[in-house]
Amino acid sequence: MDVAEGPFRVVRPADMLVVDIALMGLHFDGARHRLVRAPDALNAFILVGLPPQHVVEEVPDDLSKVTAPMQAVTAGSTRLAFSVPDDIKELELSLDGLLDWERLVPLRVPDGQQIPDTPGTTVFQGIPRSVIEFPTRLLISYDEPVDWLGGPQPQQADGRTALWHVRLHPAPDGAGLGASDGSVRLRAFATVTNGGTLPPGAPYIAPVLQDLVTLTSRIPLPGIGGPLEVHSDPLRAEQFLITPMGTSAHLHGAWDPLSDPALARYKEVDRRAPALVAYDHITGLGRDQYVRIVHHGRLSTGHEALHMQEYKRLFIARPDDGIVAYLQREDRIVVKQPEMTYGAANGFQHAGREMPFQVLRITDRVTPPIIPPTPPHDPPPPPEQDKPELAAFWVRLKESGKDHEFTLIGTDSEARKVSFTMPLVFVPDGLTDEQKQLHDLYDPQTEPDKMEQRQKRELHGQVMAMAQPPSGAPGSTSHAVGTLTFRLGSNGAPVVGQPCVAAAEVSVPAVEQFTPNAGKLEVKFNDTFLRQTMDGHPAGAYLDLAHPLKLVFGAAQAGGLSSPNVAVATITSQAGVIPDIFKTDPTTGAVGANDIDTIRKAFGGAQLLGIDLSQYLKDLKDLAKDQLGALRQLTDKQIENILADAKGLLPAPVLRMRDLADGQGKELRYVWKPALAPPAVPLIDVSKASLILEARTVRSMDAVDKSTVQGSLSHFALDFLGMARVEFGELKFKTGPGRKPDVTASGVELKFRGAMEFVNTLRSALPADVFGAGAFIDVQTTGIRAGYTLAVPTLALGVFNLANLSLSAELAIPFDGNPVSFRFAVCDQKHPFNLTVALFGGGGYFSLLVDASGVQEVHGSIEFGGAAALDLGVASGGVSIMAGIGFTLVKGVAKDEVKLTGYLRCNGFLTVLGIVTVSVEFYLELTYEKKGKQSTVRGRGTLTVSVRIAFFSKSVSLELERTFAGAPIDPTFGQCFSKQHDWPKYCAAFGA
């Protein structure tokens, strides 16, 4: 095509017109002073170049800190292309004729075109096109036929000349009508990639401009299985005026957000999906007055939300600059979807059981101004690094810098509502590295204290269901909750829309009754419950205590029979709180009972008659599966049936609360019927025994507690070192407020065995029931004492005489938790037996005390000797010799004490005529004592001589005592060598 003239520039100072004009397909007819079509030209065009139509300015983060001039960047020049209609054969060669655009046809860039035929031009498909850079770095064109309206001549009024301008107007359709709303459709088809770096804080970052192109250009995006979904719609311009100083425009765009499947398809092809859903832009003479950019996304809880950025020009007074107008940015989050429902459809790893709320409702509609996700850098980064992108961010308030606490109302599985606050993350649509960004935001290592505060939320004791209760048991999974600790994603990786409860602090009323200072207990969801629901757990568990709680049921409460201490760790829906006695598999959950050693640890400290009860628990692996499963659903009737059944078992203690009928109060119940088995060396024979322990605490409406404890242990026996066996048919107890324990025993019989079997012969005359006549039983608030004393009559057979012989046995069951004990004695220290054979005589006693841990005390002593007398009339006298051995063993908490003593005593006297008397006494004692590891041997001897003559007497004593102490431990290596003498010689020997 021929260019007749140009390009040439026209400057008209009157209305500040500056325009470059070029002609194509036209040539100058000098004869007529007209522009006519070239003979060989198919089309004629008028090309117009205008100054930049937009200026992008720096947006300061804090206006009070602005000291230097603001940075600004202008857009590129605007180029308009017009086609001369065929019915116009010639044009007047004048400025008025060239600026009369109403009769020309504006040309637009074709749909789907982004790159011109030749770089740096506006020629597409061989035809020049209209290209406007507005805003800066964004290239737009018309989306439909338009007209440019404006007078060629300067417009004057009241002696003033208006700034030259033309208005973009929709062209009339075939019926002569324009667009119904009077707006013009514009389409962004490309961005300027080589325009340099924009000023800090500018709103036109790359993702915004790219989204405008994607949403308005109608360019198809290729994807797997077909083009990607794009909700294409052009920008609407209610006003678009071009002037020499810039465009005055009011643009608006709105688009529907992409669906989740559409977003997934973008991720498949590793392309960022458009997140822009609204764009408003108001300018005056090329300078921004108001810009609103809205991105669609979701809060971390899954609620749809909008991130709204607003840029407003505000006039402020500055001391040095006077009145200035700066752009100021305000960001807000607008909650678009107030209510979110959770369940298996949300993609939870455990079908939503890790999220106790079925619905979360956010009451906030719009947040106060928040901190921008990517605030301006100070100082700005190098141009090659200034590539701002969309990012997920914690919503923080601009005024305080703290997290914005969204108010949420959660609805649990029983339609109960609770409220709490929680900081949330906004995640815009289309992030290609969403997982990484979320991981960084939720990484506890970055800000440990802040992350804990963000995720651990206060509920202040509100009652909620932590899990879906079983049918027919409403409220069985409800707790007063102190805190909930949330995490994002149930499988370890953060996932938007999958808030989970990782831990909680809840009150457990049944536990609080036994341990009033327990407070809120830290719990987490039971693994088996998460994997298989409550039905997959033998006891129907849904929560585990993070730290097993030791439950101490005092012996005084249990009537002295038992102290069933246990570490409770699992909370069930109907069995209450129980120990963790179940073995779990990492993939399938609970698969049966734990091994016996693990179970014994859970029952550490539990006692039965003062004996470690854990040693007598039967391995639960031997129990039938239905017996373990009996804990899953327990009604009061089912519990009574198990207690009444001789073979029925409750393998773990059941601890739970229930409401009394007619709302008269609450009842706490503890009941246990364990399976018992004797250990290798049992003190208690429980091979046929059955233990039932039940405690009830009733709290009436007036807050008065009434507690009763009852239980029974039947068909058991106490075996003391193979020497004695006490058999019980049944031992029952019952306690209540304000009364001593009521304890009854039946079918009790004491039998001696082994070396003590001879006693059975001595007691053959007694009744078979030791608690019959001649026996005693004493029940006090401190314990039970039962036994008998058998006195053997004097036996005289010739020179043999045995007197004061008695046998006694006593069984003690204390109520203070101390172990049951048994004492057997032959006489005692104050009343020893006496034995005489001719001239020789003596006596002694023996006492043995044993309990669950073995022998505790042994006391014994035996003495023997002889005596002879002589009387010759003139002189008389006598002599006697006595020897003895005593033994004492006492077990102590810190150290044992052992004492062995032997002695010899000899004395004699001689009297002559009753005037002179001489007496001699000799005493020799040897004692061995051991206390802990320290041993001592002590010897003592005494010789006493007494002389009495008439009225005068004199006594002389000679004493000698020696003590030999042994070392408690061997000497150390250092104690065996002298540093000055021995050590150098020792080292020199090795050195040689």
Side-chain angles (χ1 to χ4, degrees):
M1 295 182 182
D2 297 330
V3 177
E5 293 287 347
F8 53 88
R9 172 165 294 185
V10 177
V11 177
R12 190 168 62 189
D15 54 4
M16 302 182 66
L17 170 65
V18 177
V19 61
D20 294 328
I21 299 177
L23 305 175
M24 297 181 65
L26 297 172
H27 67 87
F28 179 63
D29 185 350
R32 297 189 303 157
H33 202 73
R34 309 282 291 183
L35 290 173
V36 298
R37 290 178 179 272
D40 56 345
L42 298 177
N43 297 294
F45 304 97
I46 297 180
L47 308 180
V48 178
L50 295 170
Q53 294 298 302
H54 184 253
V55 178
V56 58
E57 302 175 36
E58 176 184 351
V59 181
D61 183 43
D62 187 349
L63 292 178
S64 63
K65 298 180 180 180
V66 176
T67 58
M70 305 298 290
Q71 300 182 39
V73 174
T74 62
S77 61
T78 291
R79 284 169 285 183
L80 304 180
F82 298 93
S83 174
V84 179
D86 293 339
D87 58 348
I88 299 178
K89 303 302 181 181
E90 58 184 30
L91 293 173
E92 180 182 354
L93 182 57
S94 64
L95 186 57
D96 291 346
L98 295 176
L99 295 180
D100 187 7
W101 298 341
E102 293 186 31
R103 54 181 184 158
L104 302 179
V105 178
L107 299 176
R108 66 187 183 96
V109 176
D111 293 348
Q113 297 294 313
Q114 290 184 289
I115 302 175
D117 298 348
T118 302
T121 68
T122 62
V123 177
F124 292 82
Q125 297 178 344
I127 299 176
R129 311 288 180 169
S130 296
V131 175
I132 306 172
E133 185 175 337
F134 182 87
T136 304
R137 304 294 185 266
L138 183 68
L139 302 179
I140 64 175
S141 188
Y142 324 124
D143 188 60
E144 57 187 11
V146 295
D147 287 333
W148 286 99
L149 306 180
Q153 295 291 331
Q155 301 177 23
Q156 295 182 342
D158 298 330
R160 296 182 179 182
T161 302
L163 182 69
W164 178 87
H165 63 275
V166 289
R167 180 190 300 272
L168 191 61
H169 188 271
D173 57 14
L177 300 176
S180 59
D181 59 356
S183 63
V184 176
R185 272 57 169 175
L186 299 174
R187 180 167 48 83
F189 66 90
T191 61
V192 177
T193 58
N194 58 352
T197 302
L198 295 178
Y204 312 107
I205 61 176
V208 175
L209 302 181
Q210 291 168 2
D211 284 356
L212 287 172
V213 172
T214 301
L215 294 169
T216 64
S217 65
R218 296 197 186 95
I219 298 175
L221 303 179
I224 300 175
L228 298 175
E229 179 181 336
V230 177
H231 297 162
S232 183
D233 197 31
L235 292 169
R236 287 167 171 78
E238 298 177 8
Q239 173 183 310
F240 200 89
L241 280 78
I242 287 182
T243 75
M245 298 184 65
T247 295
S248 294
H250 187 171
L251 301 183
H252 172 70
W255 304 270
D256 293 330
L258 293 174
S259 62
D260 290 340
L263 291 172
R265 292 195 62 206
Y266 275 87
K267 289 185 178 181
E268 290 179 3
V269 298
D270 195 24
R271 185 186 181 101
R272 189 184 65 82
L276 191 67
V277 292
Y279 176 75
D280 288 278
H281 194 175
I282 300 176
T283 60
L285 300 180
R287 299 188 68 189
D288 293 331
Q289 305 301 316
Y290 177 81
V291 180
R292 185 171 72 105
I293 299 171
V294 182
H295 287 104
H296 181 270
R298 293 181 181 273
L299 296 172
S300 48
T301 50
H303 296 78
E304 285 189 67
L306 304 175
H307 174 208
M308 183 173 65
Q309 304 169 224
E310 287 187 321
Y311 300 81
K312 302 177 182 178
R313 188 171 296 279
L314 301 178
F315 289 84
I316 60 174
R318 293 177 60 86
D320 300 328
D321 303 333
I323 303 298
V324 295
Y326 291 125
L327 284 174
Q328 185 172 353
R329 175 177 177 176
E330 276 192 354
D331 288 44
R332 287 181 171 84
I333 297 296
V334 180
V335 179
K336 186 179 180 182
Q337 179 190 7
E339 195 167 276
M340 182 74 179
T341 303
Y342 302 96
N346 296 80
F348 286 99
Q349 183 182 12
H350 302 298
R353 290 184 289 275
E354 57 269 65
M355 177 56 172
F357 295 114
Q358 292 187 345
V359 176
L360 276 183
R361 182 176 184 83
I362 298 180
T363 61
D364 305 71
R365 289 298 177 264
V366 182
T367 68
I370 64 173
I371 298 176
T374 53
H377 297 281
D378 188 14
E384 62 274 8
Q385 299 180 8
D386 187 23
K387 298 179 180 179
E389 296 288 346
L390 297 183
F393 59 93
W394 287 101
V395 180
R396 296 182 298 160
L397 297 177
K398 188 173 184 178
E399 182 177 357
S400 64
K402 298 180 179 179
D403 293 327
H404 175 65
E405 302 273 350
F406 288 85
T407 300
L408 295 95
I409 298 177
T411 304
D412 64 13
S413 56
E414 294 189 291
R416 192 184 291 108
K417 298 183 183 300
V418 298
S419 63
F420 58 97
T421 62
M422 185 164 61
L424 298 176
V425 169
F426 177 81
V427 183
D429 289 345
L431 295 182
T432 55
D433 58 345
E434 180 179 304
Q435 285 291 333
K436 180 182 182 304
Q437 291 194 33
L438 288 175
H439 180 272
D440 294 342
L441 289 171
Y442 280 89
D443 186 359
Q445 302 301 323
T446 54
E447 298 175 293
D449 296 337
K450 182 173 288 188
M451 284 307 303
E452 183 178 1
Q453 295 174 2
R454 284 169 168 168
Q455 295 181 291
K456 189 173 185 179
R457 309 313 302 164
E458 292 283 348
L459 265 72
H460 305 289
Q462 297 178 85
V463 177
M464 60 170 287
M466 294 297 294
Q468 175 72 46
S471 58
S476 60
T477 60
S478 297
H479 299 268
V481 179
T483 64
L484 290 178
T485 300
F486 289 88
R487 73 166 182 260
L488 193 60
S490 56
N491 59 356
V495 179
V496 175
Q498 289 187 10
C500 307
V501 172
E505 292 178 355
V506 304
S507 64
V508 184
V511 173
E512 289 179 347
Q513 293 295 325
F514 285 93
T515 53
N517 298 325
K520 295 291 189 296
L521 300 177
E522 185 177 350
V523 298
K524 60 181 180 180
F525 284 113
N526 179 270
D527 287 340
T528 302
F529 162 73
L530 291 176
R531 293 188 179 97
Q532 298 181 332
T533 74
M534 275 186 275
D535 293 336
H537 194 280
Y542 62 97
L543 289 177
D544 287 337
L545 297 180
H547 309 287
L549 186 65
K550 190 173 182 61
L551 181 66
V552 181
F553 199 98
Q557 294 174 280
L561 175 67
S562 178
S563 177
N565 304 339
V566 62
V568 292
T570 302
I571 303 176
T572 68
S573 58
Q574 290 183 261
V577 189
I578 64 173
D580 183 14
I581 62 173
F582 301 100
K583 183 177 181 180
T584 59
D585 183 87
T587 56
T588 60
V591 294
N594 249 322
D595 59 88
I596 188 62
D597 292 335
T598 303
I599 293 175
R600 284 172 179 168
K601 291 179 182 178
F603 287 82
Q607 294 183 347
L608 177 64
L609 297 177
I611 302 166
D612 185 1
L613 178 60
S614 64
Q615 301 299 317
Y616 293 83
L617 293 177
K618 188 175 183 180
D619 194 338
L620 298 185
K621 292 181 180 179
D622 298 335
L623 298 182
K625 189 175 181 180
D626 57 343
Q627 289 178 307
L628 286 174
L631 295 171
R632 182 177 301 166
Q633 293 183 351
L634 285 177
T635 63
D636 289 342
K637 184 177 180 180
Q638 288 172 321
I639 292 177
E640 299 304 327
N641 292 338
I642 292 174
L643 297 181
D645 186 358
K647 297 183 179 180
L649 294 174
L650 287 175
V654 173
L655 183 69
R656 63 180 184 176
M657 293 278 291
R658 71 179 184 92
D659 293 324
L660 297 177
D662 303 325
Q664 296 302 309
K666 293 182 177 294
E667 179 191 65
L668 168 70
R669 189 176 189 187
Y670 176 101
V671 60
W672 189 22
K673 190 179 180 183
L676 302 177
V681 185
L683 174 62
I684 306 179
D685 183 359
V686 294
S687 57
K688 299 180 180 179
S690 176
L691 171 64
I692 297 175
L693 182 63
E694 183 175 4
R696 294 176 185 262
T697 299
V698 177
R699 172 167 290 183
S700 60
M701 297 298 293
D702 55 2
V704 176
D705 290 351
K706 296 181 180 180
S707 300
T708 59
V709 182
Q710 61 184 12
S712 66
L713 182 61
S714 58
H715 303 100
F716 73 100
L718 302 176
D719 195 317
F720 296 95
L721 303 179
M723 297 184 301
R725 181 180 175 89
V726 184
E727 296 181 349
F728 288 80
E730 187 174 32
L731 185 62
K732 290 184 177 180
F733 66 89
K734 186 174 183 180
T735 62
R739 66 180 185 182
K740 69 178 184 179
D742 180 14
V743 181
T744 60
S746 61
V748 182
E749 184 177 2
L750 173 62
K751 296 180 180 180
F752 291 94
R753 300 190 300 170
M756 304 295 297
E757 193 171 1
F758 72 93
V759 180
N760 293 329
T761 304
L762 295 177
R763 55 155 289 181
S764 59
L766 294 176
D769 191 344
V770 73
F771 292 102
F776 69 89
I777 180 170
D778 182 20
V779 180
Q780 300 290 337
T781 57
T782 58
I784 303 174
R785 293 177 60 251
Y788 69 90
T789 300
L790 172 63
V792 180
T794 302
L795 300 177
L797 299 174
V799 295
F800 178 85
N801 185 62
L802 178 62
N804 298 329
L805 179 64
S806 65
L807 302 176
S808 63
E810 179 181 316
L811 175 68
I813 303 177
F815 292 164
D816 57 1
N818 290 324
V820 61
S821 62
F822 175 75
R823 181 185 294 276
F824 173 75
V826 179
C827 301
D828 58 47
Q829 187 175 10
K830 295 180 179 180
H831 302 91
F833 65 85
N834 295 321
L835 176 64
T836 303
V837 181
L839 298 177
F840 301 96
Y845 71 94
F846 176 77
S847 176
L848 173 67
L849 175 66
V850 295
D851 64 10
S853 59
V855 177
Q856 295 299 311
E857 293 183 11
V858 178
H859 298 278
S861 175
I862 188 169
E863 296 180 321
F864 56 89
L870 175 67
D871 190 354
L872 300 178
V874 178
S876 62
V879 62
S880 65
I881 299 175
M882 183 65 68
I885 296 176
F887 178 77
T888 300
L889 168 64
V890 178
K891 291 280 188 178
V893 177
K895 54 186 177 180
D896 300 339
E897 296 185 13
V898 179
K899 183 176 181 181
L900 176 64
T901 302
Y903 74 90
L904 173 66
R905 184 172 63 244
C906 302
N907 56 47
F909 70 93
L910 176 65
T911 301
V912 180
L913 300 176
I915 298 174
V916 178
T917 301
V918 179
S919 63
V920 178
E921 181 179 4
F922 175 74
Y923 180 81
L924 179 64
E925 178 184 295
L926 184 64
T927 301
Y928 168 79
E929 293 183 350
K930 183 176 182 181
K931 295 182 179 180
K933 296 182 178 181
Q934 182 70 50
S935 301
T936 303
V937 177
R938 183 177 65 252
R940 183 167 63 92
T942 304
L943 176 64
T944 302
V945 179
S946 299
V947 179
R948 182 168 61 85
I949 302 176
F951 303 102
F952 173 80
S953 65
K954 183 65 174 177
S955 177
V956 178
S957 296
L958 299 177
E959 294 185 359
L960 178 65
E961 182 173 347
R962 290 289 185 270
T963 299
F964 304 93
I969 56 175
D970 294 333
T972 64
F973 180 82
Q975 292 173 337
C976 297
F977 285 84
S978 170
K979 293 182 180 180
Q980 290 77 14
H981 303 288
D982 299 331
W983 182 247
K985 294 180 180 180
Y986 181 82
C987 295
F990 285 94

